[in-house]
């Protein structure tokens, strides 16, 4: 892609996602407004009104209906998209499992906002985490540029993996923050996303199929196992499409991003907009000679566990930042995944008859968890520096808490 | 402009603090800068104190936290200084630009501003009433900001704003004309201490 001045624009995260949707030109968009995601579909609706897209817009009475309409449209053979946030995603939850179980490649923009109660409209990841086990691929975006690029890739990922995809941005921080982004030409996007040709669909009258039928104990498990297999296989699909995007447009995407991690002693794992703030601190501490790095999971579902464990294999200590809590009286959802990844990378599956279970003790590293930013609580540079300092403290022998609540008054 | 420049806008809901931040970022973008512009989301209502922010740099901006130590503060409403500490966190060599008919010396005294912080004033309310016909101080304050900081090229910015306003107010050329005149007057009338 040749970057011309007209390709460089200032857009909010919501505008960037709506712009991606305009260029994708889906067959159906069904949505219900909710702060802070309203603008995504509001702006998109104006594209329809202005005749810029051919999309059929379905203004529904609830998010449950929005997802139901998307399921219908996708099952019929169309490209269907929606956008929502927080309570809206919660209200969709029932239909999300159905969309994934029916293997419908719907793409959704979700602007991360906390779930009530108490009532709060600001950012955390509790909404997306609530549906982490629904069978949707989940892609987190650090900024408006990634939100735009991820939306474009999501269509291809969904249709190749035959699984629905959620692309998230951090509410207000990204959704309402205006940033410099580079957009592609309409033709380039059209070529990249291609024409959707589903293998099976309801309106294919020569090859009639049944969707959504009762699936009893004799076959339900096999069908679910296929869905699980699709999620496993989606890892390489996501990676390949990220590479193709880089080849074509110059901006590379992998399952996760590492930032100055190669020789790092202390690493933070964090998703979303905070990763950008962490990079600033990493640069600052590196200039002072401290070996720090960042690992930013881009794809939370499927969780790239072997790859992440491998990327973290040489660091001495890890802090995982979670912008939600699992209410499980232990760690947050990202930390649990990272711990499981490192446990599996450090232990064998068989027992040595003479020596017992083979454990690579060197691979077991201290992992601290930091729950942060709930309900939009601000996260500053010194908060991040504090975490790195705690990690170096622990490396010197000071015992730390396993789970920490960053900046909360107790 | 090697270092990151951070700007905080103070206004009342409805005065255009958010729009000003977005306009300024867009103009900076067109001069080749990396930008961020974002409002503060609180219980915003018409007339209630609100803030918005800009970040400008020659390099990509990765930071995603709020602005706490701005280089420049722009105050759209002079009555805000009674209830909001507009000087909060301003860098030691920072700049404050206030919409008021008062002189910078008077403001410095009233707000008890000491040290190297530089204060500028502009009667943006009067200018906007005379040029646009309504009290919309945000566009003239944009002109003052560019004059005082020298961050952007004034002529380029004026051209850019013209294009944007012409697109937005296709059927109302007088609004475009008034806004441009307001920015030009502000550029010439802003007072330094």
């Amino acid at each position: 892609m040749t970057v011309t001045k007209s390709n460089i624009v200032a857009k909010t995260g919501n505008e960037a996602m709506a712009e991606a949707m305009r260029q994708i030109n889906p067959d159906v968009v069904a949505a219900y407004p909710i702060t802070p995601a309203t603008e995504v579909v509001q702006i998109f609706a104006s594209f329809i009104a202005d005749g810029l897209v051919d999309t059929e817009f379905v203004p529904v009475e609830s998010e449950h209906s929005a997802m139901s309409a998307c399921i219908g449209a996708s099952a019929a053979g169309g490209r269907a998209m929606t956008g929502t946030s927080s309570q809206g995603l919660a209200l969709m939850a029932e239909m999300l499992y159905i969309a994934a179980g029916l293997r419908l490649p719907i793409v959704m923009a979700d602007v991360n906002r906390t779930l009530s109660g108490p009532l709060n409209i600001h950012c955390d990841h509790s909404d997306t985490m609530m549906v982490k086990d629904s069978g949707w691929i989940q892609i987190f975006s650090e900024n408006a540029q990634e939100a735009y690029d991820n939306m474009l890739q999501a269509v291809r990922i969904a249709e190749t993996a035959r699984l629905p995809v959620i692309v998230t941005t951090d509410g207000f921080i990204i959704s309402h923050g205006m940033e410099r982004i580079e957009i592609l030409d309409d033709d380039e996007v059209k070529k990249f996303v291609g024409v959707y040709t589903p293998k099976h669909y309801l309106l294919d009258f020569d090859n009639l199929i049944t969707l959504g039928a009762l699936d009893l104990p004799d076959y339900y498990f096999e069908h679910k196992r296929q869905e699980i297999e699709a999620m496993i296989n989606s890892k390489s699909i996501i990676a390949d499409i990220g590479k193709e995007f880089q080849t074509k447009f110059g901006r590379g995407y992998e399952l996760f991003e590492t930032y100055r991690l190669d020789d790092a002693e202390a690493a933070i794992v964090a998703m979303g907009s905070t990763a950008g703030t962490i990079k600033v601190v990493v640069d600052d501490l590196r200039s002072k000679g401290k070996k720090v790095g960042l690992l930013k999971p881009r794809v939370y579902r499927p969780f790239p566990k072997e790859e992440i464990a491998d990327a973290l294999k040489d660091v001495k200590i890890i802090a995982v930042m979670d912008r939600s809590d699992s209410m499980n009286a232990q760690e947050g959802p990202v930390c649990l995944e990272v711990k499981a990844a490192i446990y599996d990378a450090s232990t064998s599956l068989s027992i040595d008859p003479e020596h017992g279970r083979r454990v690579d003790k060197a691979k077991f590293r201290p992992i601290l968890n930091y729950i942060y930013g709930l309900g939009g609580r601000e996260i500053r540079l010194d908060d991040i520096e504090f975490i790195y300092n705690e990690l170096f403290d622990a490396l010197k022998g000071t015992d730390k808490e396993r789970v920490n609540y960053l900046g909360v008054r107790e | 402009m090697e270092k990151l420049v951070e700007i905080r806008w103070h206004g009342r809901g409805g005065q255009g603090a958010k729009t000003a931040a977005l306009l300024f970022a867009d103009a900076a973008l067109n001069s080749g800068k990396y930008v961020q512009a974002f409002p503060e989301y609180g219980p915003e209502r018409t007339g209630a104190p609100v803030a918005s922010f800009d970040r400008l740099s020659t390099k990509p901006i990765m930071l995603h936290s709020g602005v706490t130590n701005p280089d420049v503060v722009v105050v759209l409403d002079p009555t805000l200084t009674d209830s909001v500490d507009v000087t909060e966190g301003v860098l030691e060599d920072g700049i404050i630009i206030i919409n008021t008919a008062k002189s910078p010396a008077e403001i410095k005294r009233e707000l008890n501003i000491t040290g190297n912080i530089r204060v500028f004033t502009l009667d943006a309310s009067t200018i906007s009433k005379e040029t646009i016909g309504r009290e919309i101080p945000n566009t003239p304050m944009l002109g003052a900001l560019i004059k005082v900081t020298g961050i952007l090229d004034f002529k380029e910015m004026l051209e850019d704003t013209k294009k944007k306003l012409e697109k937005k107010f296709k059927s109302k050329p007088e609004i475009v004309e008034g806004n441009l005149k307001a920015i030009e007057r502000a550029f010439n009338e802003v007072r330094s201490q």
Side-chain angles (χ1 to χ4, degrees):
Chain A
M1 187 194 89
T2 45
V3 178
T4 58
K5 210 175 170 187
S6 64
N7 289 111
I8 297 172
V9 291
K11 285 203 183 297
T12 65
N14 281 346
E15 288 170 345
M17 286 178 128
E19 178 70 0
M21 287 171 72
R22 180 186 69 72
Q23 295 181 310
I24 292 163
N25 195 3
D27 296 306
V28 173
V29 166
Y32 188 82
I34 181 165
T35 301
T38 301
E39 282 177 337
V40 176
V41 280
Q42 180 189 329
I43 295 166
F44 186 78
S46 75
F47 294 149
I48 296 175
D50 293 343
L52 299 176
V53 287
D54 313 307
T55 310
E56 179 78 28
F57 189 82
V58 191
V60 285
E61 77 284 3
S62 78
E63 287 87 353
H64 188 280
S65 300
M67 188 42 60
S68 301
C70 284
I71 288 171
S74 185
R79 214 171 233 165
M81 298 181 83
T82 186
T84 194
S85 180
S86 183
Q87 308 305 115
L89 191 65
L91 189 51
M92 278 183 188
E94 178 189 6
M95 302 315 291
L96 294 183
Y97 278 72
I98 294 171
L102 296 181
R103 308 287 305 277
L104 299 173
I106 301 163
V107 171
M108 161 159 50
D110 179 60
V111 179
N112 285 131
R113 162 186 153 181
T114 192
L115 287 167
S116 286
L119 176 62
N120 178 303
I121 58 166
H122 292 275
C123 176
D124 68 33
H125 295 166
S126 55
D127 57 351
T128 310
M129 288 301 161
M130 177 191 162
V131 298
K132 67 188 163 67
D133 303 331
S134 62
W136 283 62
I137 290 169
Q138 296 190 338
I139 304 177
F140 282 74
S141 320
E142 179 185 321
N143 49 40
Q145 181 73 64
E146 290 191 5
Y148 171 80
D149 293 344
N150 283 335
M151 285 292 277
L152 301 182
Q153 291 172 67
V155 174
R156 287 279 306 281
I157 292 166
E159 289 166 11
T160 313
R162 291 171 67 201
L163 281 175
V165 179
I166 293 178
V167 176
T168 80
T169 59
D170 280 356
F172 291 110
I173 303 162
I174 302 304
S175 68
H176 288 63
M178 189 195 219
E179 296 184 319
R180 174 198 189 277
I181 70 164
E182 293 176 18
I183 54 166
L184 305 174
D185 292 336
D186 289 1
D187 281 350
E188 288 177 307
V189 174
K190 204 173 166 183
K191 256 185 250 158
F192 179 77
V193 298
V195 178
Y196 176 44
T197 44
K199 225 173 167 183
H200 311 288
Y201 57 103
L202 288 178
L203 296 185
D204 180 1
F205 296 115
D206 296 328
N207 301 287
L208 293 173
I209 55 161
T210 299
L211 267 181
L214 180 66
D215 200 1
L216 291 170
D218 57 346
Y219 268 107
Y220 176 90
F221 201 172
E222 279 71 26
H223 292 143
K224 225 49 199 172
R225 177 67 185 85
Q226 288 177 359
E227 187 188 338
I228 295 164
E229 192 64 15
M231 188 56 89
I232 295 167
N233 292 339
S234 71
K235 256 194 334 192
S236 62
I237 292 170
I238 299 165
D240 287 348
I241 290 170
K243 270 188 216 119
E244 184 189 328
F245 195 85
Q246 174 163 34
T247 312
K248 287 189 168 138
F249 311 123
R251 292 187 295 275
Y253 287 89
E254 296 180 34
L255 298 168
F256 55 89
E257 181 192 339
T258 57
Y259 190 76
R260 305 185 82 162
L261 193 63
D262 280 349
D263 63 337
E265 292 173 353
I268 290 180
V269 177
M271 303 198 296
S273 63
T274 303
T277 307
I278 296 169
K279 288 174 186 172
V280 177
V281 178
V282 168
D283 285 348
D284 180 47
L285 293 179
R286 282 274 178 179
S287 74
K288 292 167 185 160
K290 289 195 172 171
K291 291 186 173 174
V292 294
L294 162 74
L295 188 149
K296 176 188 84 180
R298 168 185 174 235
V299 179
Y300 180 72
R301 284 290 183 266
F303 192 77
K305 96 174 183 188
E306 292 89 359
E307 295 86 346
I308 284 182
D310 188 56
L312 291 169
K313 70 180 186 312
D314 295 324
V315 301
K316 291 180 179 163
I317 190 164
I318 300 158
V320 182
M321 294 180 68
D322 264 295
R323 201 159 192 162
S324 66
D325 192 273
S326 286
M327 294 293 168
N328 54 359
Q330 47 170 352
E331 291 87 347
V334 185
C335 188
L336 283 173
E337 302 286 352
V338 172
K339 279 194 171 174
I342 290 188
Y343 178 89
D344 278 4
S346 314
T347 53
S348 69
L349 281 172
S350 60
I351 302 285
D352 184 328
E354 278 174 37
H355 304 100
R357 192 164 166 76
R358 287 188 291 270
V359 175
D360 186 347
K361 282 186 181 158
K363 284 187 180 166
F364 274 118
R365 267 73 45 77
I367 300 176
L368 308 185
N369 190 201
Y370 286 86
I371 309 289
Y372 76 102
L374 300 193
R377 175 63 56 85
E378 172 83 346
I379 181 93
R380 297 186 189 286
L381 294 168
D382 48 9
D383 294 318
I384 307 295
E385 198 175 335
F386 168 79
I387 294 177
Y388 280 120
N389 287 338
E390 289 285 284
L391 294 182
F392 282 112
D393 241 24
L395 281 180
K396 281 184 211 144
T398 315
D399 269 344
K400 299 290 172 189
E401 296 284 331
R402 256 181 221 289
V403 186
N404 306 272
Y405 303 90
L406 196 63
V408 80
R409 287 161 293 198
E410 303 209 47
Chain B
M1 202 186 70
E2 269 304 296
K3 92 182 243 302
L4 185 72
V5 175
E6 297 184 311
I7 300 165
R8 183 173 71 213
W9 299 78
H10 288 282
R12 292 188 182 278
Q15 277 179 333
K18 179 185 164 187
T19 306
L22 296 181
L23 270 176
F24 186 66
D26 211 11
L29 176 97
N30 288 331
S31 73
K33 305 254 187 318
Y34 287 85
V35 296
Q36 277 182 359
F38 49 97
E40 171 187 76
Y41 281 94
E44 62 271 4
R45 308 168 299 278
T46 301
V50 294
S52 60
F53 309 91
D54 281 303
R55 278 199 181 101
L56 277 68
S57 177
T58 50
K59 291 185 288 190
I61 304 168
M62 300 183 288
L63 186 59
H64 278 122
S65 51
V67 171
T68 41
N69 299 108
D71 299 86
V72 186
V73 170
V74 187
V75 184
L76 296 180
D77 188 323
T79 66
L80 270 175
T81 56
D82 298 336
S83 54
V84 179
D85 179 9
V86 298
T87 66
E88 192 188 356
V90 182
L91 291 177
E92 271 177 33
D93 54 351
I95 290 170
I96 298 176
I97 312 169
I98 298 192
N99 167 23
T100 174
K102 290 175 187 167
S103 74
E106 279 173 272
I107 293 294
K108 248 188 144 166
R109 210 165 37 242
E110 277 178 23
L111 298 184
N112 198 19
I113 296 168
T114 53
N116 291 331
I117 294 175
R118 289 180 292 155
V119 175
F120 298 85
T121 61
L122 176 77
D123 190 357
S125 296
T126 303
I127 291 178
S128 67
K129 270 186 262 175
E130 287 174 4
T131 53
I132 307 167
R134 271 175 60 200
E135 190 173 335
I136 312 166
N138 62 354
T139 34
M141 290 304 275
L142 209 53
L145 172 66
I146 287 161
K147 170 76 174 278
V148 166
T149 59
I151 296 173
L152 302 181
D153 182 82
F154 181 69
K155 273 192 184 144
E156 262 181 41
M157 180 268 173
L158 209 59
E159 263 315 297
D160 190 57
T161 309
K162 190 179 169 192
K163 266 189 230 154
K164 255 173 246 142
L165 291 173
E166 278 174 348
K167 214 170 152 191
K168 198 172 173 185
F169 299 103
K170 267 180 210 152
S171 56
K172 295 175 181 168
E174 70 280 3
I175 291 185
V176 181
E177 192 61 29
N179 272 283
L180 295 178
K181 208 174 271 175
I183 296 173
E184 269 184 315
R185 269 191 62 184
F187 190 80
N188 295 321
E189 291 176 27
V190 60
R191 296 160 74 187
S192 60
Q193 57 202 63

